[in-house]
Amino acid sequence: MNKYLLYPGCSMDSSAKAYMESLNSIVEPLDLHLEEIEDWNCCGATEYLGINLIPAYSLIARNLALATKQMNGTRTVVAPCSACYLNLAKADYYMQERPTLGAKVNEALAAGGLEYKAGTLDVRHLIDILVYDVGLEAIRSKVVRPLSGLKVVPYMGCMLPRPDYQHRWSDHEHPTELDDLLRALGADVIDYPLTTECCGGHMTQIGPESAFELIRRLISDASERSAHMMVTVCPMCQMNIDAYQNETNHFFGTNYHMPVLFFTQLMGLAFGKEPGKLGIGLELVSSRNALANLGIEVPVTQEPAAPRKKDEGLPMPRRWTKHEGRKEEMK
Amino acid sequence: MPQMTDERVRAGMNREEDLSLLHEVSMKTAGVSHLEMCIQCGTCGGSCPVAEDMDHTPRMLFAMLRAGIREEVLRSNTPWLCVSCYHCVVRCPQEVHIADVMYTLKGMAIHAKLYTDSTAPHFSQTFVGMVETFGRGYELGLATRHYLRHFPLRLPGMMPMGFGMITKGRMAIIPKKIKHIDQLTKILNRAKQLELTS
Amino acid sequence: MTERIGVYVCHCGTNIAGTVDVVDVANWAAEKLKHQGVVIAREYKFMCSSLGQELIEKDIKELGLTRVVVAACSPHLHEKTFRTAAKNAGLNPYLVELASIREQVSWVHSNKTIGTAKSKAVVSGAVSRVIENAALEEIKVPINPNTLVVGGGIAGIQSALEIANAGFHVYLVEREPSIGGHMSQFDKTFPTLDCSACILTPRMVEAGTHPNITLLTWSEVTNVAGYVGNFHVTIKKKARFVNEELCTGCGICQEKCPKKVIDDVYEAGLGYRKAVYTPFAQAVPNFPVMDKENCTYFIKGTCKACEKFCPTNAIDFTQQDQLINVDVGNIILATGYDLFDARRVSSYGYGRLPNVFTSIEFERLSNAAGPTSGNIVLRDGKTTPKSVGIIHCVGSRDKNFNNYCSVICCMQGLKFAHLVHERTGATVYNFYIDMRTAYKAYDEFYQRVLEEGTLFVRGKVAEVTKAARKESEKGKLIIQVEDTLAGKQRRIPVDMVILSSGLQPRADSKEVGKMFGISCSMDGWFTERHPKLDPVATMTEGVFIVGCAQGPKDIPSSVAQGAAAAARVLDKILQKEVMLEPIKASINKETCSGCRICNGLCPFNAIAYIEDDKISDINPALCQGCGTCVAACPAGAISGTGFSDAQIMAQIDGLLLRNLITA
C-alpha cells in the first residue's frame, strides 16, 4: 500500500468538489492511501505573500509542521492543487536557501508549540504521484472504458511545472506528464502550445479585463484545435476557465463553449466509474456534449505509416526530453 | 518641502536617488533574489502574459529599482498585475526570483501606502482577513465583500455564475473553521513582529 | 653546518602589500627565524624585476647565502625566475624555495592582520623546509621530433601544416571520416563572406598530401604514456571496411549502396548519406567509410552491392579495428566543440515546431552543396520564407544552460541575416541581448547588415509559439519578446526562426583531458597555462591546446592559435633536448620488501619489479615525480626528491610555528 499525507487545500471541498469526489473514487483501484493532515490551514494562495512575508511563510509552514507529526512510514505530502503545491514546496525550499527565513518562521511556529526543519518532507503534486509512483502502466491496466474519440487538450497550468525547485517535471514549458497520462486512458490528446500558460489566477477578482484576455487565449486556441474539452490538474485553472467563461464570452462578444474537467474525473470515467460519482455535472460549462463522444463506438484503426515521399521535405530533429539528458548523465 | 504630488513625481521633480532601494528589496525577498545580477535582457517582459497592462515591464522596474526611484517603483501597477505564472522565473538567464520580488514590492507598497489602485491590495487583505479568522478560505464571504466594494456593477452579470456555484455546492454558505485557530493566531501574531532584514 | 638563509618578501605592487604588511613579515623573519639561519630578510616592491633579482644575486655572493626563500607569488609563475637568479649567482637552483603569499594569502584574504599572520607562517614553513632541500641537477632528455595533432578542424590543420612545412613529421588524427571540421559545413565566413570551402579545401588537400603528414582519419587516440619529448601514443584506427591501398575514391560504392541514412553529423540531420559514404565531395581523404550500424550486409548478412560494383576490389568486410603505436615529442589538441543542443530551450520550440532551425542547419540550408542546393526554404522543402527571425545567445549567457558568451553568435547572426536578405529578400529580424562585434572589420559588417535593412530588436526572446492570438498570426511562428529599447512587449510573426546556438565543450572533454594529463575549467574547456600570457600551452609540458578546445572562438583566432602552438612545438624540437625537473622518486633497496603494490599504481608505468633482486625499481626517465608510490609504499621505502619526508615534516613544523624558540 502506498501511503501519502494529503494536503487537500480549501477548494477541494468547495469550488473543486468534483476534483475531490473523483480523486476519492480512484484511490481504491490504484491502491493509494491518502491520510489527511490533521487540522491543516489555508496556504494563503497568492495573496498572503504580498502582504507580509514572515506570517505568510509561517501560515504555510504550520501545515508542514503538522504533517511531520503524521510521518509514520512516509515523508511525502501530496497536494492536488497547484497553488497549494507550489506554496508548500516553496516554503520548504526557501527556508533552506535563506536560513534566516527558516529561523524566523520557526520562531513564529514556536509560539504555537510547533517547529519545522526544512527538507524533512517531500512535497509533491498528485499527478506526479500518479505518473511516477503509480506509473502509467498500472493506470493503463485499470482502464475498462478507453476514452478513444474524446479530443482533449491537456492543460497543466503554470504553477505546477514552474519554478520546479526539485526538478520533478519533464519540462518547464511543455511538460508531457498530463499528455502521457491522458494517452494512457486512451484519449485523443491534442498538442496544445498553451499548456503551461496562465489562466489569470487572482486577476479574475482584481483585474478582470486582464484575466478575460488570458482565458480567451486559452479557450480560443483549444477551440481552434477542435478540442472537445480541456483537462486540468488545478482547481484555480478549472474555476477561472469554467466559472468565468460566460463573462469572458460576454466581454469579447464570443460564444465559446469549452468544458474543463479535472484529470481525475477522466481517470474515473476510464476506470468505468459512474459520472455521478465523479462530480461530472458540477462544471458550469457542461461537458455533456463532449462526453457524448464517448458513447459513440469509434473503432480504433491503426493506419499504416505512409511511405516516405520524395517531396516530403526535410527531416525533423528528435524531440528533446529531460529523461534523455538523465540517461546521458547516468552513462 | 513642497507637497509630493503625482504630477511632481511624474515630472521627476524632487526625486532623490535612493541607492539603498535595490538592497532593501533584495533583503526583504524570500530566498536569494539575485536582483543585482539583472542584465536587462527583457526575458521577463517578453514572457509576461499581462505585460500589456503593466505601466512598466518587470525589466524596466528592475532598472528603476537600481536607479533608486523609490516612489515610482512602489506606485507601479506591475507587481499587482503579476499572476505568479513563473514563466519569467524559469526563463531568466540570471536566475532572478522575479515573482518573489513582486511579492516584496506589493508588501512595501502597502506599507508605504503608495499603490494607485486599491482593488488588488484590498482583495489580498480581505482574503488574508478571512484566513486569519477561520484558518481556511471562505469564497462566498470574500466574493461578496470584495465585489460589493470594488465591482458593484459587475455583480448582476455574475449572479448566474454565483447562483450556479452555490446550487452545485461549489460555494459554501457557512465558513469552515479549523480546530486550533488559537494556535494559528498565536503563530501569526508572533510572525507579524518579525521581519526579514538580513 | 648551519645554513645561511636569505628571505625576500615581495610587495607585488599592492597585490600582496594591500593585504599583507610585508615590512612586518620581513622584520619578523629576520628576528624570529634568526636561530634557523636567516641572516638577511628584505622586502621589495617587485622582487621579480631585474633589480629585485640582482638584490638576491648580490646577497648570495656577498653574504654567502646557502639557501634562499622568496615569499611572493605561486611557484607556477616565478619559481623559474628566482632559481635562474640563484644559478647565476652560483647557488644550486633547487636550494631556492618559493613561499606563496599571493595566491594563498593576499588574494584569498581581505583582513590585513590575518594576511600578515598567515604570511609569517607560510614564510616560516618555507624556511624550515629549505634547510632540508638538497642540491639537485636537472635531467636532460632528447626530444622526439615527431608531433601528434589531435583533431583535423581548421586549427589542427593549421598546426599540422606549420610543423610539416618546417620539415618535421606530424601525425594528424581525426575522429570523423574526413578532416575539415565544422568549417567544412559552413557556407560563407564572416566578415568578408569568403566561401568557406574555397578557403578551407586547399588547406585540407595540402594536409592530405603533405609528405610530412601522416593522416589518420576515422581514428581516435586511446592511450597516452610518457612525458614531454617522449610520448608513447596508442591510436585506434577504426575499421573502414575499405582498403585504402586499393580504393581510388571513385564513389561507385556510394552510388550503388541501397541504404539511405539521415546524416546527423555533416548534414546536421537535414540530409541523407549512404551506409558507405564520404561525408562530402571534397573529403580528405576521399576513401569512404562503411557505417556498420546501418550497413545491410552487417545487419542481415546479405547485400554486398558495394563489393560487387567496386572496380578495384577495395571493399573488405573482414577489416578489423587496428591499434597503432606512435612515439612523439609534443602533442597539440585541437578537438573543437559541440554545438549546444537547442532542444533544451523548450520555449524556442526546436524539435517541436518544424520551422525552427539551428545555426548549423541553416549553414547546410544555405550551402550550395547542402541538401537544398543552397535554397533557403522551410521544412516542407520548398517554401521560401517571407520573414525570418534570428535569435542570438541560444544556450549562452544563461545560467540555466551555459553561463558564458559563445563569442561567434553575434557575427554568425549577422552573417545569416545577410544571406537571408541576399537569397530570399525576406524581412529579417535579429534578436540580441548585446551586440558583440569587437574585432577587425566586424563592426563594419554590422553596419553593412544594418544598411541592408535587417531589423534589430534588443531583447532576449521569451518564446517562439504557434499559438496565434489574432488573424495575422495564424499559421506563423510568433516570436514574443520585450523590445527593451522601446520598453514594450512585441509579438512578431515570422515564417522561419534560426537559433544561434552556442558552442560547448565536447561531451567527452573531461575524459580526453584526463588521458592527456590536462585539466578542464568548470565549464569543461581545456585550461591553458596562463589566460593571457600562455594561452596555447597547458600545465603539462609538451601538451598544447588550440582552437575551440580551449574556449569558444572564431576562425581567425583558431588559426592564430594553431600557428602559435606550432611555433611553440618547433621551438622545443629545435632545442633537441629538454631539461626535466629532477623531482623523481627512488626506492631504498634495503627497505623495499618487494610487495609490488607500487607497480600497478604508477600512472607512468615507471616502476618495474626486478625478479633477480626481488625488489621494485623506478626508471627515472619515466618517473614524473607525482608521489603516488611514495604515499602508497607500506614499508616507507620510497622517497621523492624535492618532497622528502624530512622536507615536508619540517615545513609543517614551520607552518605551525613549532620552530620558534619560546622563551
XYZ file of all heavy atoms in Angstrom, chain A residues 10 13-15 39-42 47-48 50 62 86 90 94 97-98 100 104 107 112 162 173 197 203-206 208 210 217 238-239 242-243 247 281-282, chain B residues 27 29 31-32 49 53 81 83 85-87 90-91 97 100 107 124 132 135-137 139 146-147 151 154 161 168 170 176 178-180 183 190 195 198:
622
model
N -8.170 24.400 0.438
C -9.539 24.869 0.687
C -10.526 24.558 -0.423
O -11.693 24.283 -0.170
C -9.535 26.373 0.932
S -8.442 26.864 2.263
N -13.115 21.070 -1.045
C -14.479 20.747 -0.623
C -15.449 21.870 -0.980
O -16.560 21.931 -0.484
C -14.550 20.358 0.865
C -14.170 21.506 1.778
O -13.823 22.577 1.237
O -14.209 21.312 3.000
N -15.016 22.780 -1.837
C -15.971 23.780 -2.313
C -15.924 23.855 -3.840
O -16.498 22.995 -4.508
C -15.689 25.139 -1.660
O -14.361 25.552 -1.889
N -15.209 24.831 -4.367
C -15.281 25.036 -5.821
C -14.763 23.840 -6.608
O -15.181 23.596 -7.728
C -14.511 26.309 -6.193
O -13.159 26.165 -5.860
N -6.121 19.040 10.881
C -6.320 20.460 11.175
C -5.465 21.416 10.329
O -5.033 22.462 10.788
C -6.052 20.743 12.677
C -6.783 22.010 13.141
O -7.934 22.204 12.716
O -6.176 22.791 13.899
N -5.257 20.995 9.067
C -4.469 21.850 8.153
C -5.174 23.190 7.978
O -6.383 23.300 8.141
C -4.286 21.153 6.805
C -5.582 20.749 6.144
C -6.224 19.553 6.288
C -6.398 21.548 5.289
N -7.395 19.543 5.568
C -7.517 20.760 4.937
C -6.295 22.839 4.762
C -8.535 21.222 4.089
C -7.294 23.300 3.916
C -8.415 22.488 3.602
N -4.386 24.227 7.616
C -4.995 25.528 7.324
C -4.676 25.970 5.898
O -3.853 25.357 5.213
C -4.530 26.586 8.334
C -3.031 26.720 8.379
O -2.378 26.186 9.280
N -2.454 27.393 7.413
N -5.338 27.029 5.489
C -5.165 27.577 4.133
C -3.698 27.938 3.896
O -2.988 28.365 4.810
C -6.030 28.824 3.992
S -5.724 29.765 2.480
N -2.097 35.386 -2.135
C -2.432 36.668 -1.508
C -1.544 37.050 -0.330
O -1.107 38.180 -0.211
C -3.900 36.652 -1.060
C -4.880 36.353 -2.181
C -4.574 37.093 -3.467
O -4.406 38.332 -3.417
O -4.460 36.447 -4.530
N -1.289 36.089 0.543
C -0.619 36.449 1.794
C 0.831 36.888 1.559
O 1.352 37.784 2.210
C -0.670 35.276 2.786
C -0.775 35.697 4.242
C -1.286 34.819 5.198
C -0.353 36.960 4.657
C -1.385 35.195 6.535
C -0.454 37.338 5.992
C -0.964 36.459 6.923
O -1.052 36.834 8.231
N 2.128 38.636 -0.613
C 2.280 40.032 -0.996
C 1.935 40.997 0.123
O 2.062 42.200 -0.038
N 3.004 26.016 9.071
C 2.226 25.321 10.104
C 1.756 23.971 9.561
O 1.790 22.960 10.269
C 1.025 26.167 10.540
C 0.146 25.455 11.584
C -1.000 26.306 12.089
N -1.856 25.554 12.996
C -2.937 24.858 12.599
N -3.267 24.819 11.312
N -3.656 24.185 13.481
N 2.704 24.538 -4.861
C 3.799 25.480 -5.019
C 4.131 26.162 -3.691
O 5.295 26.265 -3.318
C 3.458 26.527 -6.086
C 4.483 27.651 -6.227
C 5.853 27.092 -6.583
C 4.044 28.635 -7.296
N 7.609 25.714 -2.000
C 8.401 26.924 -1.966
C 8.871 27.245 -0.545
O 10.036 27.587 -0.324
C 7.530 28.064 -2.490
C 8.200 29.384 -2.606
C 7.117 30.387 -2.956
C 7.641 31.472 -3.805
N 6.620 32.267 -4.428
N 12.718 27.653 0.213
C 13.299 28.931 0.627
C 13.791 28.917 2.070
O 14.719 29.622 2.424
C 12.297 30.070 0.422
C 12.207 30.555 -0.994
C 11.168 31.390 -1.407
C 13.173 30.201 -1.944
C 11.080 31.841 -2.715
C 13.089 30.657 -3.253
C 12.044 31.470 -3.629
O 11.960 31.921 -4.910
N 17.154 27.727 1.389
C 18.018 28.636 0.625
C 18.380 29.865 1.450
O 19.469 30.404 1.342
C 17.321 29.060 -0.683
C 18.240 29.850 -1.605
C 17.566 30.345 -2.870
O 16.932 31.418 -2.843
O 17.672 29.674 -3.896
N 17.431 30.320 2.258
C 17.670 31.521 3.064
C 17.479 31.140 4.532
O 16.370 31.250 5.068
C 16.645 32.571 2.623
C 16.855 33.958 3.163
C 17.747 34.828 2.306
N 17.872 36.125 2.911
C 17.049 37.154 2.683
N 16.072 37.031 1.810
N 17.217 38.295 3.290
N 17.977 32.479 7.292
C 17.348 33.442 8.213
C 15.834 33.343 8.123
O 15.135 33.525 9.129
C 17.758 34.900 7.916
O 17.884 35.051 6.511
C 19.060 35.256 8.572
N 13.346 32.554 11.317
C 12.234 33.422 11.742
C 10.903 32.665 11.723
O 10.072 32.830 12.616
C 12.137 34.646 10.825
C 13.443 35.439 10.805
C 13.272 36.873 11.202
C 14.612 37.404 11.669
N 14.892 38.765 11.366
N 10.708 30.616 14.640
C 10.455 31.438 15.823
C 8.946 31.663 15.972
O 8.395 31.572 17.072
C 11.185 32.773 15.647
C 11.478 33.504 16.927
C 12.207 34.823 16.669
O 13.034 34.880 15.735
O 11.918 35.789 17.388
N 3.276 28.651 18.661
C 2.167 27.702 18.662
C 2.630 26.312 19.046
O 1.931 25.330 18.794
N 6.385 25.035 -12.820
C 7.326 26.129 -12.528
C 7.124 26.608 -11.093
O 5.986 26.611 -10.621
C 7.070 27.301 -13.495
C 7.412 26.982 -14.934
C 7.338 28.226 -15.789
N 6.008 28.776 -15.886
C 5.132 28.492 -16.838
N 5.441 27.654 -17.798
N 3.941 29.036 -16.838
N 8.103 24.193 -19.738
C 7.225 24.892 -20.669
C 6.253 23.939 -21.358
O 5.103 24.265 -21.562
C 8.071 25.586 -21.745
C 9.256 26.340 -21.166
C 9.083 27.827 -21.217
O 8.100 28.281 -21.823
O 9.934 28.538 -20.661
N 0.447 27.988 -19.960
C 0.158 29.419 -19.858
C -0.782 29.651 -18.678
O -1.482 28.745 -18.231
C -0.494 29.921 -21.150
C 0.433 29.902 -22.355
C 1.569 30.915 -22.277
O 1.323 32.035 -21.808
O 2.690 30.571 -22.676
N -6.426 37.383 -11.014
C -6.823 38.557 -11.786
C -8.319 38.569 -12.088
O -8.887 39.621 -12.345
C -6.032 38.651 -13.101
C -4.547 38.925 -12.935
S -4.177 40.340 -11.891
C -4.660 41.663 -12.972
N -8.955 37.385 -12.063
C -10.416 37.370 -12.267
C -11.092 38.204 -11.177
O -12.171 38.721 -11.367
C -10.970 35.929 -12.223
O -10.324 35.226 -11.171
C -10.726 35.215 -13.537
N -10.422 38.319 -10.017
C -11.001 39.071 -8.907
C -10.589 40.532 -8.918
O -11.343 41.388 -8.496
C -10.554 38.464 -7.560
C -10.671 36.960 -7.473
C -12.082 36.474 -7.736
O -13.042 37.042 -7.243
N -12.212 35.450 -8.563
N -9.363 40.812 -9.362
C -8.871 42.174 -9.169
C -8.658 42.945 -10.449
O -8.600 44.168 -10.434
C -7.569 42.188 -8.341
C -6.484 41.372 -9.032
C -7.832 41.691 -6.939
C -5.169 41.417 -8.294
N -10.306 42.028 -13.884
C -10.988 41.055 -14.738
C -10.654 41.196 -16.225
O -10.561 40.196 -16.926
C -12.473 41.312 -14.469
C -12.556 42.564 -13.670
C -11.239 42.771 -13.028
N -7.854 41.921 -17.683
C -6.605 41.186 -17.953
C -6.893 39.689 -17.944
O -6.416 38.938 -18.794
C -5.551 41.479 -16.883
O -5.237 42.848 -16.860
N -7.462 33.550 -24.628
C -6.361 32.927 -25.357
C -6.432 31.409 -25.225
O -6.262 30.669 -26.181
C -5.012 33.390 -24.792
C -4.672 34.815 -25.134
C -3.373 35.210 -24.444
N -3.223 36.655 -24.413
C -2.331 37.302 -23.664
N -1.509 36.622 -22.886
N -2.247 38.604 -23.703
N -9.400 25.438 -13.214
C -10.739 24.949 -13.533
C -11.757 26.045 -13.254
O -12.603 26.347 -14.083
C -11.048 23.692 -12.717
C -12.135 22.795 -13.316
C -13.550 23.310 -13.063
O -13.766 24.107 -12.154
N -14.491 22.880 -13.889
N -11.630 26.641 -12.101
C -12.554 27.679 -11.664
C -12.558 28.851 -12.640
O -13.602 29.303 -13.097
C -12.114 28.143 -10.262
C -12.800 29.376 -9.751
S -14.397 28.956 -9.029
C -14.944 30.585 -8.556
N -13.825 27.764 -16.233
C -15.204 27.273 -16.198
C -16.162 28.387 -15.749
O -17.063 28.785 -16.491
C -15.271 26.080 -15.228
C -16.647 25.454 -15.163
O -17.302 25.386 -16.222
O -17.063 25.042 -14.057
N -15.897 28.934 -14.574
C -16.859 29.859 -13.988
C -16.848 31.228 -14.670
O -17.848 31.941 -14.643
C -16.592 30.009 -12.496
N -18.626 35.127 -18.631
C -18.278 36.550 -18.598
C -17.271 36.909 -19.687
O -17.324 37.982 -20.281
C -17.689 36.908 -17.219
C -18.643 37.665 -16.316
C -17.924 38.269 -15.124
O -17.364 37.490 -14.326
O -17.924 39.507 -15.008
N -20.912 17.133 -14.066
C -22.161 17.879 -13.981
C -22.019 19.072 -13.048
O -22.849 19.973 -13.059
N -20.976 19.062 -12.229
C -20.774 20.200 -11.337
C -20.144 21.385 -12.076
O -20.148 22.506 -11.584
C -19.892 19.815 -10.145
C -20.488 18.815 -9.145
C -19.516 18.557 -8.002
C -21.819 19.334 -8.594
N 16.825 42.196 0.353
C 16.817 41.662 1.715
C 15.432 41.164 2.115
O 15.279 40.167 2.813
C 17.258 42.757 2.693
C 18.748 42.892 2.827
S 19.523 41.351 3.296
C 20.496 41.006 1.876
N 13.154 39.977 0.274
C 12.598 38.948 -0.593
C 12.968 37.560 -0.081
O 14.105 37.347 0.342
C 13.126 39.146 -2.026
O 12.737 40.438 -2.461
C 12.561 38.097 -2.976
N 14.109 33.738 -0.116
C 15.155 33.137 -0.935
C 16.223 34.171 -1.264
O 16.257 35.253 -0.693
N 17.101 33.832 -2.209
C 18.158 34.756 -2.621
C 17.721 35.384 -3.942
O 17.585 34.699 -4.936
C 19.500 34.007 -2.781
C 20.599 34.969 -3.168
C 19.856 33.283 -1.476
N 2.516 37.348 -19.426
C 1.233 37.309 -20.128
C 0.411 38.580 -19.949
O -0.514 38.811 -20.717
C 0.528 36.100 -19.509
C 1.144 35.923 -18.177
C 2.561 36.395 -18.314
N -0.688 45.269 -19.916
C -1.447 46.093 -18.971
C -0.566 46.759 -17.916
O -1.045 47.523 -17.097
C -2.501 45.220 -18.256
C -3.488 44.626 -19.253
O -3.691 45.247 -20.311
O -4.029 43.538 -18.984
N -0.208 43.353 -11.024
C -0.720 42.594 -12.168
C -0.060 41.232 -12.305
O -0.543 40.371 -13.032
C -0.507 43.397 -13.455
C -1.459 44.584 -13.627
C -1.028 45.426 -14.809
C -2.882 44.088 -13.840
N 0.743 37.619 -12.239
C -0.167 36.498 -11.981
C 0.573 35.294 -11.381
O 0.008 34.218 -11.272
C -0.913 36.065 -13.265
C -1.933 37.116 -13.653
C 0.058 35.807 -14.403
N 2.867 33.352 -12.650
C 2.897 32.180 -13.550
C 4.299 31.619 -13.686
O 4.494 30.557 -14.249
C 2.322 32.504 -14.918
S 3.424 33.469 -15.972
N 5.308 32.358 -13.202
C 6.684 31.893 -13.133
C 7.341 31.631 -14.484
O 8.375 30.987 -14.563
C 6.810 30.647 -12.240
C 6.537 30.956 -10.791
C 5.239 30.970 -10.297
C 7.573 31.284 -9.933
C 4.984 31.290 -8.973
C 7.315 31.598 -8.610
C 6.025 31.596 -8.140
O 5.787 31.905 -6.828
N 6.713 32.126 -15.563
C 7.381 31.970 -16.861
C 8.707 32.717 -16.860
O 9.729 32.216 -17.300
C 6.480 32.506 -17.982
C 6.001 31.414 -18.871
N 4.712 31.314 -19.310
C 6.656 30.363 -19.403
C 4.593 30.244 -20.074
N 5.746 29.657 -20.132
N 11.592 30.940 -14.647
C 12.364 29.815 -15.180
C 13.165 30.208 -16.414
O 14.145 29.562 -16.754
C 11.501 28.581 -15.511
C 10.882 28.022 -14.250
C 10.432 28.878 -16.551
N 12.728 31.276 -17.096
C 13.475 31.664 -18.296
C 14.599 32.642 -17.991
O 15.515 32.795 -18.788
C 12.523 32.310 -19.295
C 11.568 31.324 -19.941
C 10.590 32.055 -20.844
N 9.608 31.141 -21.408
C 8.515 31.550 -22.031
N 8.285 32.841 -22.178
N 7.659 30.672 -22.524
N 14.769 35.884 -8.797
C 13.492 35.371 -8.280
C 12.412 36.425 -8.534
O 11.884 37.042 -7.590
C 13.604 35.108 -6.773
C 14.429 33.903 -6.420
N 14.870 32.984 -7.336
C 14.877 33.449 -5.215
C 15.558 32.042 -6.721
N 15.583 32.295 -5.432
N 8.955 36.508 -6.691
C 9.063 36.822 -5.265
C 9.404 38.284 -5.022
O 8.993 38.865 -4.024
C 10.093 35.896 -4.610
C 9.579 34.476 -4.553
O 8.621 34.248 -3.801
O 10.088 33.620 -5.287
N 4.187 44.199 -0.777
C 4.224 44.417 0.671
C 4.753 45.806 1.000
O 4.195 46.515 1.850
N -6.358 41.243 -1.498
C -5.406 40.446 -0.723
C -5.706 40.562 0.765
O -5.714 39.568 1.490
C -3.972 40.913 -0.983
O -3.627 40.663 -2.326
N -7.144 34.545 8.415
C -6.731 34.756 9.806
C -7.876 34.459 10.778
O -7.665 34.021 11.897
C -6.211 36.180 10.005
C -4.827 36.357 9.381
C -4.302 37.776 9.496
O -5.084 38.673 9.864
O -3.109 37.979 9.202
N -8.899 30.320 9.364
C -7.863 29.317 9.077
C -8.046 28.692 7.715
O -7.200 27.943 7.244
N -9.177 28.978 7.103
C -9.444 28.448 5.758
C -9.974 29.591 4.901
O -10.438 30.605 5.416
C -10.524 27.352 5.813
C -10.155 26.132 6.617
C -9.509 25.038 5.774
N -8.910 24.015 6.626
C -9.487 22.868 6.954
N -10.689 22.585 6.502
N -8.871 22.001 7.710
N -9.954 29.375 3.594
C -10.532 30.347 2.674
C -12.048 30.295 2.781
O -12.624 29.273 3.149
N -14.875 31.495 0.251
C -15.063 32.121 -1.054
C -16.275 33.054 -1.102
O -16.199 34.157 -1.628
C -15.180 31.047 -2.146
C -13.809 30.472 -2.502
C -13.886 29.079 -3.128
O -14.944 28.434 -3.035
O -12.868 28.651 -3.693
N -15.750 41.625 -1.490
C -14.870 42.214 -2.487
C -15.656 42.859 -3.626
O -15.402 43.990 -4.022
C -13.927 41.135 -3.019
C -12.980 41.644 -4.051
N -11.990 42.556 -3.755
C -12.876 41.391 -5.377
C -11.308 42.830 -4.854
N -11.828 42.148 -5.852
N -16.656 42.126 -4.137
C -17.403 42.665 -5.282
C -18.242 43.870 -4.901
O -18.361 44.822 -5.652
C -18.247 41.567 -5.941
C -17.404 40.626 -6.760
C -16.993 39.401 -6.248
C -16.992 40.984 -8.048
C -16.192 38.550 -6.983
C -16.187 40.132 -8.797
C -15.797 38.921 -8.260
O -15.005 38.099 -9.001
N -16.481 46.017 -7.372
C -17.151 45.794 -8.660
C -18.663 45.691 -8.495
O -19.266 44.721 -8.947
C -16.644 44.496 -9.324
C -15.180 44.485 -9.602
C -14.303 43.779 -8.787
C -14.664 45.182 -10.704
C -12.950 43.763 -9.061
C -13.308 45.163 -10.971
C -12.443 44.456 -10.148
N -20.476 44.843 -11.553
C -20.211 43.552 -12.172
C -21.140 42.488 -11.577
O -21.350 41.428 -12.168
C -18.751 43.173 -11.899
C -18.143 42.260 -12.937
C -16.671 42.034 -12.620
N -16.267 40.662 -12.902
C -15.180 40.095 -12.406
N -14.397 40.782 -11.588
N -14.862 38.855 -12.705
N -23.608 32.937 -12.422
C -22.445 32.131 -12.053
C -22.459 31.819 -10.565
O -22.337 30.675 -10.140
C -21.166 32.886 -12.445
C -19.887 32.129 -12.234
S -19.125 32.382 -10.627
C -17.994 33.701 -11.004
N -24.732 24.141 -7.070
C -23.966 22.920 -7.325
C -23.077 22.566 -6.127
O -22.221 21.684 -6.207
C -23.111 23.088 -8.580
C -23.945 23.031 -9.871
C -23.124 23.341 -11.102
C -23.985 23.489 -12.344
N -24.181 22.250 -13.087
N -20.681 24.259 -4.939
C -19.274 24.594 -5.124
C -18.877 25.847 -4.344
O -17.751 26.286 -4.416
C -18.970 24.772 -6.617
C -18.999 23.460 -7.383
C -18.739 23.653 -8.849
N -17.412 24.200 -9.107
C -16.967 24.507 -10.310
N -17.748 24.314 -11.372
N -15.767 25.003 -10.488
N -15.830 27.421 6.953
C -15.273 26.342 7.776
C -14.175 26.929 8.636
O -13.441 27.807 8.214
C -14.671 25.266 6.863
C -15.711 24.506 6.096
C -15.234 23.074 5.853
C -16.350 22.200 5.331
N -16.700 22.499 3.930
N -10.865 26.029 11.302
C -10.002 24.950 11.786
C -10.162 24.819 13.296
O -10.617 25.736 13.972
C -8.511 25.162 11.409
C -7.941 26.453 12.022
C -8.336 25.157 9.915
C -6.436 26.558 11.890
N -9.765 23.640 13.825
C -9.955 23.368 15.238
C -9.102 24.276 16.119
O -9.577 24.846 17.078
C -9.581 21.892 15.533
C -10.787 20.975 15.639
C -10.347 19.599 16.138
C -9.727 18.779 14.988
N -9.120 17.526 15.434
N -7.820 24.364 15.744
C -6.893 25.097 16.618
C -6.602 26.485 16.072
O -5.453 26.842 15.841
C -5.593 24.306 16.796
C -5.825 22.959 17.397
N -6.230 22.800 18.701
C -5.736 21.720 16.873
C -6.365 21.505 18.951
N -6.089 20.839 17.859
N -4.130 28.481 18.069
C -2.712 28.201 17.819
C -2.223 29.001 16.611
O -1.159 29.630 16.634
C -2.534 26.689 17.562
C -1.102 26.292 17.278
C -1.014 24.889 16.711
O -1.801 24.513 15.851
N -0.057 24.110 17.204
N 2.960 36.285 16.426
C 4.419 36.310 16.641
C 5.108 36.667 15.323
O 6.016 37.498 15.281
C 4.879 34.932 17.134
C 6.372 34.837 17.419
C 6.712 35.490 18.747
N 8.153 35.666 18.916
C 8.812 36.769 18.601
N 8.170 37.808 18.096
N 10.116 36.858 18.772
N 10.702 40.412 10.862
C 10.923 40.921 9.515
C 12.198 40.304 8.960
O 13.123 40.003 9.704
C 11.061 42.440 9.558
C 10.209 43.136 8.521
C 10.493 44.623 8.478
O 10.575 45.259 9.556
O 10.640 45.123 7.363
N 18.032 40.390 6.996
C 19.426 40.032 6.693
C 19.501 38.692 5.993
O 18.538 37.955 6.011
C 20.240 39.970 7.967
O 19.712 38.965 8.799
